[in-house]
Amino acid sequence: MRTSRTRSFRIRPLRRGVAALFAGVLTVAALLAAGTTAHAAGTPLRDLAAAKGKVIGTAVTGSKLTGTYGDIAGGQFNSLTPGNAMKWGSVEPTRGSFNWAEADQIVAFAQAHDQQVRGHTLVWHSQNPSWLTNGTWTTAELSGLLQDHITTEVTRYKGELAAWDVVNEPFNEDGTYRSTLWYNGLGADYIAQALTWAHAADPSAKLYINDYNVEGVNAKSTALYDLVKSLKARGVPIDGVGLQAHLILGQVPGTLQQNIQRFADLGVDVAVTELDIRMQLPSDSTKLAQQAADYKAVFDACVAVTRCYGVTVWGFTDSDSWIPDVFSGYGAATPYDENYAPKPAYDAIAASLGGGTTTPPPTGACTATYSVQSQWNTGFTGQVRIACSGAALSSWKVNWTYGAGQRITQAWNATCTQSGAAVSCANASYNGSVPDGGSVTFGFNASWSGSNPVPTVTLG
Ligand code: 9MR
């Protein structure tokens, strides 16, 4: 095969009729720049998530839902979880006397902002009213109290909530059941009963069991897995598992995606329900960069598994996070700082959801254009032009498949091979580089008979 830079060849007059065939040239644009993004900078996270079929939520405090806090909660998220407002101690502080004010307010805010609500939580060992925890109850009384509580609260929001964290934190770290008012009083089956009662009160809400330290594959998550499997086998209404994900900087479990997948394979949804990633204070740019990578890893794992429903952060701003109150010396765990400025973690979430807030999307492309230069009764001369605009190449390869038995007999300014109908031409040693705004051509002779349709070329 010839590889000389120029070649003179005989141009025979085209036959009329056939000329029309040659008029067609086909250009295939191959986007060669990496990281093409579908969304411009500044697209709200909720829109990015929705485009991926995911839900992005935040825990909220009802009294704060105005001003900047309200703007961000309503503008960036498509799901809200009341941080405390739906817990038993909040809604029934005195037996028989209910306070739904904050829960109602959050539901109304969500509806006004076209958001889902995730109910949290119906059965827990913590944040219960003292009249309940200090009381002495028979098994039947305790069961009746729990059934009434679940029925009352779920019925109040019937049809309005996407999901309920029905049972919260039922396991110890070793996978045994946590010793609680419920387990001790009712036995392990309180979980199945709670799910059944919740389903009876609102058949449309998705019902979850929610826990922490179940993000990776470990004894606790395996106990949850075994429980869900047995509940499903019994026909108990269970739709999903919540992985709280109160994580520590640099410690996203390596088995997160695998764990999400194994629950998905069981036939339940998975939601990351309470994500935050705490660091030792003060924060600095290195820690914030690590935190961004950690947030991205969690979102990436959810994006990768179809049945991962979405990710909720446990407060979106460091000014509304439980971490500093509970873990002395730790904080800065959320995607926004205390003044509502987005942190690197925010950009990382956007990037995971397909947004591009840090790198402008590439606009350039390189294209390969195939054309027939001349044709005679048994052969023809063809040319491929590779041109770049807003992008550049350091090497190239062009492929096509002939549809009518054409065969390459000779090529120049490229190394061409043909196997059956498939042709592949790579740059010669001297013309691999195609600068932005520049072009390279190569030529070939080939045989044809019957017809000589122009093939589709791809540039790789
Ligand atoms: O965010 C909640 C915080 O305001 C409360 O003080 C705390 C009391 O335990 O509960 C927090 O939320 C918890 C959630 O309901 C369940 N998982 C752990 C969360 C952090 O404690």
Side-chain angles (χ1 to χ4, degrees):
M1 302 228 175
R2 293 186 54 156
T3 53
S4 62
R5 249 178 183 300
T6 56
R7 177 183 185 270
S8 60
F9 50 89
R10 270 184 316 157
I11 300 181
R12 301 195 178 214
L14 300 180
R15 286 182 299 177
R16 286 181 81 100
V18 182
L21 269 177
F22 310 151
V25 293
L26 201 69
T27 300
V28 173
L31 291 175
L32 293 162
T36 303
T37 54
H39 298 273
T43 304
L45 297 180
R46 61 182 291 171
D47 295 344
L48 296 171
K52 292 259 181 210
K54 302 291 177 187
V55 165
I56 182 164
T58 180
V60 289
T61 303
S63 60
K64 298 183 179 175
L65 284 170
T66 59
T68 307
Y69 184 100
D71 290 346
I72 296 172
Q76 294 286 337
F77 300 92
N78 55 17
S79 175
L80 299 183
T81 302
N84 290 300
M86 289 185 173
K87 291 168 182 171
W88 197 335
S90 300
V91 300
E92 196 184 9
T94 306
R95 189 171 183 188
S97 165
F98 294 91
N99 179 0
W100 304 107
E102 189 190 350
D104 286 357
Q105 181 210 348
I106 292 169
V107 172
F109 182 97
Q111 289 172 350
H113 292 81
D114 194 22
Q115 295 170 302
Q116 300 183 3
V117 179
R118 185 176 187 91
H120 176 86
T121 177
L122 296 167
V123 191
W124 195 20
H125 60 272
S126 183
Q127 291 183 280
N128 287 317
S130 52
W131 63 263
L132 175 67
T133 51
N134 292 341
T136 307
W137 316 102
T138 65
T139 301
E141 286 169 336
L142 195 60
S143 177
L145 284 166
L146 185 58
Q147 181 173 8
D148 285 351
H149 167 65
I150 290 172
T151 304
T152 303
E153 183 154 5
V154 175
T155 301
R156 182 175 183 86
Y157 299 108
K158 181 180 180 182
E160 300 191 276
L161 303 197
W164 268 108
D165 291 330
V166 176
V167 177
N168 200 32
E169 302 173 359
F171 288 109
N172 293 315
E173 297 305 292
D174 64 1
T176 56
Y177 282 110
R178 185 191 288 269
S179 162
T180 69
L181 175 65
W182 309 116
Y183 178 74
N184 297 337
L186 305 175
D189 224 38
Y190 82 91
I191 296 172
Q193 287 165 349
L195 289 161
T196 303
W197 293 327
H199 183 68
D202 185 353
S204 70
K206 300 294 183 194
L207 305 183
Y208 281 67
I209 301 171
N210 190 48
D211 215 326
Y212 63 89
N213 287 352
V214 291
E215 295 74 31
V217 175
N218 57 35
K220 194 174 183 179
S221 66
T222 298
L224 178 60
Y225 178 91
D226 291 342
L227 171 62
V228 169
K229 194 172 179 181
S230 81
L231 291 172
K232 282 190 74 76
R234 289 169 56 191
V236 175
I238 174 74
D239 298 295
V241 293
L243 317 181
Q244 292 187 8
H246 294 294
L247 302 177
I248 299 169
L249 191 71
Q251 295 185 27
V252 178
T255 52
L256 174 61
Q257 185 180 323
Q258 178 194 338
N259 193 41
I260 294 173
Q261 187 67 58
R262 72 169 171 160
F263 281 104
D265 292 345
L266 259 190
V268 292
D269 291 338
V270 180
V272 176
T273 51
E274 306 184 15
L275 176 62
D276 49 27
I277 300 173
R278 62 185 180 267
M279 62 181 70
Q280 210 156 15
L281 296 173
S283 71
D284 59 33
S285 59
T286 306
K287 293 179 193 172
L288 291 173
Q290 177 65 54
Q291 185 184 50
D294 292 346
Y295 265 94
K296 185 163 186 305
V298 174
F299 275 80
D300 284 352
C302 186
V303 167
V305 181
T306 307
R307 280 203 86 142
C308 184
Y309 187 71
V311 178
T312 288
V313 295
W314 205 242
F316 62 86
T317 161
D318 292 340
S319 67
D320 186 41
S321 169
W322 68 297
I323 295 292
D325 296 338
V326 175
F327 298 97
S328 172
Y330 282 80
T334 78
Y336 285 82
D337 74 12
E338 301 203 343
N339 300 311
Y340 303 124
K343 292 155 59 177
Y346 175 95
D347 288 342
I349 294 169
S352 178
L353 295 173
T357 54
T358 47
T359 320
T363 53
C366 297
T367 58
T369 304
Y370 176 109
S371 60
V372 175
Q373 301 287 296
S374 67
Q375 182 167 294
W376 55 99
N377 53 354
T378 56
F380 70 100
T381 299
Q383 184 186 77
V384 174
R385 181 169 183 265
I386 299 142
C388 290
S389 173
L393 295 174
S394 57
S395 66
W396 46 262
K397 193 170 194 181
V398 179
N399 300 300
W400 67 86
T401 302
Y402 277 130
Q406 301 99 317
R407 289 211 64 84
I408 302 273
T409 54
Q410 184 178 39
W412 50 97
N413 298 335
T415 302
C416 292
T417 56
Q418 181 166 1
S419 170
V423 178
S424 183
C425 297
N427 61 271
S429 58
Y430 51 80
N431 65 357
S433 131
V434 186
D436 184 0
S439 67
V440 163
T441 60
F442 69 90
F444 56 88
N445 284 337
S447 62
W448 72 286
S449 70
S451 67
N452 185 17
V454 171
T456 301
V457 296
T458 56
L459 176 62

